[in-house]
Amino acid sequence: AIPIASGAGLKAALAKPGLRLALLQGVVFAATFAKEMALTAAFGLGAFMDAYTLVNNALIFSRSYFEQLGYGLLVPAAAQTSTPLTDDRRPPGASGDPSLRPSVERILAWMTFGTLAVSLGLLALAPWVAVALAPGASGERMGWLAFLCLWMLPACLAFQGAEALRCLCLQERRFMLYQGPRLVGLLGFVAIFALAYPHWGAVALVVAMVATHGFEWFAYARGLGLAAFPRPRWADLAPLLRQLGPVSLAWFVFYAGPMVDNAFLAGLPAGEPGAFRYAQVSVLIVAGLTLNNLAATSLSGLNAHCGQGRYAQAEADLWRIGAQSLAWGIPIALLGGLAASWAVRLMFERGAFGPEDTERVAACFQVFLWQLPALALWRPLSSCFYTLGLFKPLVGIGLAALALRLGMNAWGVELSGLQGLCWATTANGISLSLGCGVYLWAWMRRRPSLAD
């Protein structure tokens, strides 16, 4: 072993994908903190931030669809037709296996066309979209909700295909490309918002989000050697729709959760939806800094094992990821719970965000931390389901989880309001990953595994 204190040891350590990805994610999440601190300092937890939370849940819902397109369409093709690169160095003009490029560009073409069509539809129906997102909202909260549905939601949706391309970056182990545009986008958001807010107020948020989303879309497409706006071909539509149906159904039943949450958040007192969101954001940042990179570096090999029928190796990978998630997740949840108030105060308590807001966010944060192992497991589990073509069982598990979420949310809100909703969503996330893991383990055990 080479001592890391030496120059050679440091170079060897940085060459490891896991450490490289962890360092990149650390920088990205530091920029995410800067973005969230800018928003809380400007708006605090009031009617505007409540409306932003509800619209942002819709954006999370749509962004997850493009992520599923990446894992459900692009990654399986990459796992079966190309060999992932071992580092970020690529020959000029290279873009993985040549047979991958046409299918990616054809999917991208229709993805772009469909997204623009949906965005225009949302623009025309903005008042009704606002009511659909939060039927119980009224007054100032509804006013801001209508504003964001008209100006932010359609424009941001138009560029969310970047999430599908990020999945392909992970599969090809291009970690610099995976995180680089996201980092530039976050820093750009902070700069644009800081410069524009004194003059434009809430409009600055819309301008900053649209500009940075557009930049990320273009940067990921060009970084992968693809046209940012390829022309769709009618001949590709029918086979794409056949693939799209199962992936879309699986996505809906698994990612309708935030929209279900909206129905309950809209009825909570002012400031509580914002507290719910900021606690979730904080836990996702903790997960990204600690657990998610452990799973992300294993995705490429795991998908290859599943795609090529090496189920024993895939099962071993999943057990290892699960053990790592528990070994890191439980101590982090315990320590994070003890330091919750201090951490939230350090991150957000400035400007319009006061001590009362800190306590509300910290109480939610302590609950959401127990989702950490489940959050780390969900991506590799769902990726295996898609690579193996297990759409029907995935949809069945998702429908059961969605029905459970509705019942648990209703019970949690009735029992103890915001805190009950936090516990309900946490328990639902854990049960979802557990159900998927048990089914996948049983499925793999019943099938012969090919040797390497």
Side-chain angles (χ1 to χ4, degrees):
I2 303 172
I4 197 169
S6 69
L10 180 61
K11 184 177 180 180
L14 291 175
K16 294 181 178 180
L19 181 57
R20 248 196 348 250
L21 184 58
L23 291 173
L24 286 169
Q25 288 191 161
V27 177
V28 166
F29 283 117
T32 304
F33 270 127
K35 171 188 172 183
E36 299 300 335
M37 286 189 291
L39 292 179
T40 52
F43 301 116
L45 296 184
F48 178 83
M49 192 53 65
D50 288 348
Y52 175 70
T53 296
L54 297 170
V55 172
N56 194 62
N57 276 351
L59 287 174
I60 292 172
F61 183 56
S62 61
R63 187 162 60 241
S64 67
Y65 180 59
F66 291 102
E67 186 179 44
Q68 293 310 300
L69 289 182
Y71 287 122
L73 298 180
L74 302 185
V75 168
Q80 294 168 14
T81 63
S82 67
T83 302
L85 299 180
T86 56
D87 59 27
D88 296 327
R89 294 170 294 175
R90 306 170 62 80
S95 183
D97 190 297
S99 65
L100 176 63
R101 179 171 175 149
S103 69
V104 170
E105 286 192 332
R106 291 169 187 172
I107 293 171
L108 184 64
W110 280 107
M111 184 191 304
T112 306
F113 178 82
T115 305
L116 289 175
V118 171
S119 296
L120 290 173
L122 287 176
L123 186 65
L125 300 172
W128 293 275
V129 173
V131 173
L133 284 179
S138 60
E140 186 181 5
R141 183 185 290 177
M142 177 52 77
W144 282 120
L145 190 61
F147 168 80
L148 293 173
C149 284
L150 177 64
W151 296 108
M152 188 179 86
L153 182 61
C156 291
L157 177 66
F159 299 109
Q160 290 204 346
E163 293 302 318
L165 297 177
R166 293 187 89 221
C167 299
L168 191 57
C169 295
L170 266 186
Q171 173 63 24
E172 295 196 351
R173 301 173 72 83
R174 297 188 62 185
F175 299 135
M176 287 297 295
L177 181 60
Y178 174 70
Q179 294 288 30
R182 179 57 47 89
L183 175 60
V184 175
L186 287 166
L187 295 175
F189 177 95
V190 174
I192 294 170
F193 181 77
L195 291 172
Y197 180 74
H199 308 287
W200 297 345
V203 176
L205 171 66
V206 177
V207 173
M209 289 197 72
V210 173
T212 54
H213 275 64
F215 163 77
E216 288 182 23
W217 165 262
F218 184 82
Y220 283 118
R222 299 307 299 156
L224 287 165
L226 305 169
F229 300 100
R231 293 180 57 185
R233 303 191 320 171
W234 287 109
D236 298 325
L237 183 58
L240 180 60
L241 287 175
R242 284 194 294 271
Q243 291 179 283
L244 205 59
V247 174
S248 300
L249 183 59
W251 157 77
F252 179 80
V253 298
F254 275 101
Y255 287 95
M259 307 308 295
V260 170
D261 296 342
N262 267 9
F264 297 94
L265 288 168
L268 294 177
E272 291 192 355
F276 184 92
R277 176 186 179 270
Y278 274 103
Q280 282 190 325
V281 167
S282 300
V283 169
L284 290 174
I285 290 172
V286 172
L289 288 172
T290 55
L291 297 179
N292 285 358
N293 67 83
L294 296 173
T297 56
S298 303
L299 272 180
S300 180
L302 179 62
N303 287 324
H305 291 326
C306 289
Q308 297 165 19
R310 299 195 298 268
Y311 304 132
Q313 292 89 333
E315 183 185 341
D317 284 347
L318 288 172
W319 277 112
R320 177 174 50 80
I321 294 170
Q324 289 175 336
S325 300
L326 288 171
W328 283 89
I330 292 175
I332 291 170
L334 290 170
L335 292 174
L338 293 174
S341 295
W342 173 82
V344 173
R345 187 178 303 112
L346 179 66
M347 290 186 291
F348 300 124
E349 194 175 302
R350 59 187 56 80
F353 192 103
E356 183 182 351
D357 299 328
T358 292
E359 293 309 312
R360 283 191 290 192
V361 173
C364 298
F365 180 68
Q366 289 172 320
V367 177
F368 287 142
L369 279 169
W370 294 104
Q371 288 188 67
L372 284 174
L375 288 172
L377 272 171
W378 169 242
R379 181 178 288 181
L381 286 172
S382 61
S383 187
C384 284
F385 271 88
Y386 285 123
T387 303
L388 294 169
L390 300 175
F391 294 113
K392 288 184 179 180
L394 192 63
V395 169
I397 296 171
L399 284 172
L402 189 60
L404 185 64
R405 192 177 193 120
L406 276 166
M408 293 176 73
N409 281 8
W411 178 75
V413 169
E414 184 178 355
L415 186 66
S416 56
L418 175 62
Q419 198 73 0
L421 184 61
C422 293
W423 277 113
T425 54
T426 296
N428 187 258
I430 293 171
S431 63
L432 177 60
S433 289
L434 187 61
C436 286
V438 169
Y439 182 92
L440 197 58
W441 172 79
W443 188 92
M444 289 180 174
R445 298 289 282 189
R446 292 198 303 266
R447 280 156 180 79
S449 176
L450 297 179
D452 285 320

